[in-house]
Amino acid sequence: MSEPEPPSLDDDICVHIFSVSATMVGVCLTVIGIIRVILTLRREDLIIDDLVALNMFCYLTSAFCAYWNLRTHRTLRNQRMMRIADNVFLVALVFTAANAGFITWAMTSTPTT
């Protein structure tokens, strides 16, 4: 009897990208809600909630590509989806850091009255 083949490193990374991207979609939704409450209380309107929504769609794209990669086995499309999921995930991480900096700057700046 042959033993089942252990998952490859690409499959393992893809599982992590899928789970973390799905979690980050929820985090982005929570942040958008908190930002909307703060901006409503301050009677301001900033573009940051739109930027976080765009960031959420980057994570969602990464999650879909990672899921697609997990569902297809050892094809050229599989490798393409893995690269796309990986690259979009890294772009989303950088975008998250930029959004965090902008949120910090926007929330600590003095409100205009």
Side-chain angles (χ1 to χ4, degrees), residues 17-18 21 57-67 81 84-86 88-90 92:
I17 289 174
F18 176 69
S21 291
F57 282 112
C58 290
Y59 282 118
L60 189 61
T61 301
S62 180
F64 279 142
C65 291
Y67 181 75
M81 282 297 133
I84 291 171
D86 199 19
V88 172
F89 182 76
L90 292 175

Side-chain angles (χ1 to χ4, degrees), residues 38-92:
I38 292 171
L39 292 179
T40 301
L41 291 174
R42 291 175 72 173
R43 293 186 176 92
E44 290 183 30
D45 195 23
L46 297 175
I47 194 171
I48 189 60
D49 54 339
D50 298 329
L51 293 175
V52 174
L54 182 61
N55 199 180
M56 179 189 67
F57 282 112
C58 290
Y59 282 118
L60 189 61
T61 301
S62 180
F64 279 142
C65 291
Y67 181 75
W68 190 348
N69 181 38
L70 291 170
R71 299 297 293 169
T72 58
H73 296 288
R74 296 183 184 21
T75 63
L76 181 58
R77 188 179 328 162
N78 179 309
Q79 295 300 318
R80 265 192 231 131
M81 282 297 133
M82 182 59 203
R83 276 192 222 106
I84 291 171
D86 199 19
N87 289 333
V88 172
F89 182 76
L90 292 175
V91 167

Side-chain angles (χ1 to χ4, degrees), residues 2-49:
S2 64
E3 292 183 26
E5 185 178 319
S8 70
L9 182 59
D10 284 345
D11 290 340
D12 192 40
I13 289 172
C14 202
V15 168
H16 291 296
I17 289 174
F18 176 69
S19 62
V20 171
S21 291
T23 302
M24 290 304 293
V25 168
V27 169
C28 288
L29 285 171
T30 303
V31 169
I32 290 170
I34 292 169
I35 287 172
R36 290 308 312 159
V37 168
I38 292 171
L39 292 179
T40 301
L41 291 174
R42 291 175 72 173
R43 293 186 176 92
E44 290 183 30
D45 195 23
L46 297 175
I47 194 171
I48 189 60
D49 54 339

